Amino acid sequence: MNKPASFMSVDAGPARFTTAEFLRMCEVGAFDDIKVELVNGELERMPPPGNEHGRRQMMVGIRLSRIIAEELLRGEVGIDLGKDTVLGCDAAILVAPVSGNRILRPEEVALAVEAAETTAARDMGMKRLKYADAGIAHYWVIDGARSVVHVWSEPLNGDYAQVGIVRFGEPLAVPGTDQTIVID
């Protein structure tokens, strides 16, 4: 007589992925209907961007486009930060033109920008540390709740050595130029 199958309950922990596995899943459409990032090998679902997020993301792109060459600007682009982390930023200035449909590498990014309407803690915490550790020279978080732009530069030992805050409506120096833009 057959015995019913019994299954052991095994807590194997969360599924972990490498950057290569994550990018392959992206290529085959595994995340076509959701926005995810890979953080320390684990998938993190991102909330859909709201109206203010979209407005500020577009605004910073348009204002940067007035002073930065088009081939050096990117909107909403992924950055491969290492063997198990791929993050997306809302806008970026590149060090030099990059061709091909691929994820950027940290050394190609002069400035990463986040519009933080609902993700400020994540953007100013985990993302800041990941970008600094990867050597991205400049990082801005447009903080709509506080009406300021948090400005970080000079990555050093996994964080940024230079920290500043620019209020909305005040001139914000654009890295690599002698120009400013105004965020509101």
Side-chain angles (χ1 to χ4, degrees), residues 103-133:
I103 302 295
L104 298 176
R105 295 184 300 272
E107 64 272 13
E108 297 171 322
V109 179
L111 167 68
V113 180
E114 296 290 349
E117 296 303 318
T118 60
T119 59
R122 184 176 195 275
D123 294 339
M124 293 189 296
M126 179 276 292
K127 278 194 166 185
R128 182 193 88 236
L129 297 174
K130 291 286 188 184
Y131 288 154
D133 192 48

Side-chain angles (χ1 to χ4, degrees), residues 116-169:
E117 296 303 318
T118 60
T119 59
R122 184 176 195 275
D123 294 339
M124 293 189 296
M126 179 276 292
K127 278 194 166 185
R128 182 193 88 236
L129 297 174
K130 291 286 188 184
Y131 288 154
D133 192 48
I136 294 175
H138 301 272
Y139 179 48
W140 295 351
V141 173
I142 302 169
D143 185 345
R146 293 176 184 84
S147 300
V148 299
V149 180
H150 302 272
V151 178
W152 289 278
S153 61
E154 298 178 28
L156 178 67
N157 299 325
D159 205 347
Y160 287 99
Q162 190 71 14
V163 179
I165 294 178
V166 176
R167 293 186 183 283
F168 284 7

Side-chain angles (χ1 to χ4, degrees), residues 31-168:
F31 311 117
D32 283 353
D33 58 344
I34 61 172
K35 185 176 176 183
V36 295
E37 293 180 330
L38 182 68
V39 179
N40 299 324
E42 296 183 17
L43 299 176
E44 290 191 12
R45 184 177 249 174
M46 300 302 299
N51 180 53
E52 276 302 297
H53 177 276
R55 184 184 75 76
R56 286 210 171 89
Q57 180 183 20
M58 181 64 72
M59 175 192 51
V60 74
I62 289 169
R63 292 178 185 176
L64 287 173
S65 74
R66 294 176 184 150
I67 58 175
I68 300 291
E70 183 178 327
E71 63 268 12
L72 297 178
L73 287 177
R74 295 295 181 272
E76 198 162 357
V77 65
I79 307 171
D80 179 353
L81 299 179
K83 62 183 180 257
D84 65 356
T85 301
V86 177
L87 298 177
C89 65
D90 292 319
I93 297 176
L94 304 179
V95 173
V98 173
S99 61
N101 187 27
R102 64 175 177 79
I103 302 295
L104 298 176
R105 295 184 300 272
E107 64 272 13
E108 297 171 322
V109 179
L111 167 68
V113 180
E114 296 290 349
E117 296 303 318
T118 60
T119 59
R122 184 176 195 275
D123 294 339
M124 293 189 296
M126 179 276 292
K127 278 194 166 185
R128 182 193 88 236
L129 297 174
K130 291 286 188 184
Y131 288 154
D133 192 48
I136 294 175
H138 301 272
Y139 179 48
W140 295 351
V141 173
I142 302 169
D143 185 345
R146 293 176 184 84
S147 300
V148 299
V149 180
H150 302 272
V151 178
W152 289 278
S153 61
E154 298 178 28
L156 178 67
N157 299 325
D159 205 347
Y160 287 99
Q162 190 71 14
V163 179
I165 294 178
V166 176
R167 293 186 183 283
F168 284 7

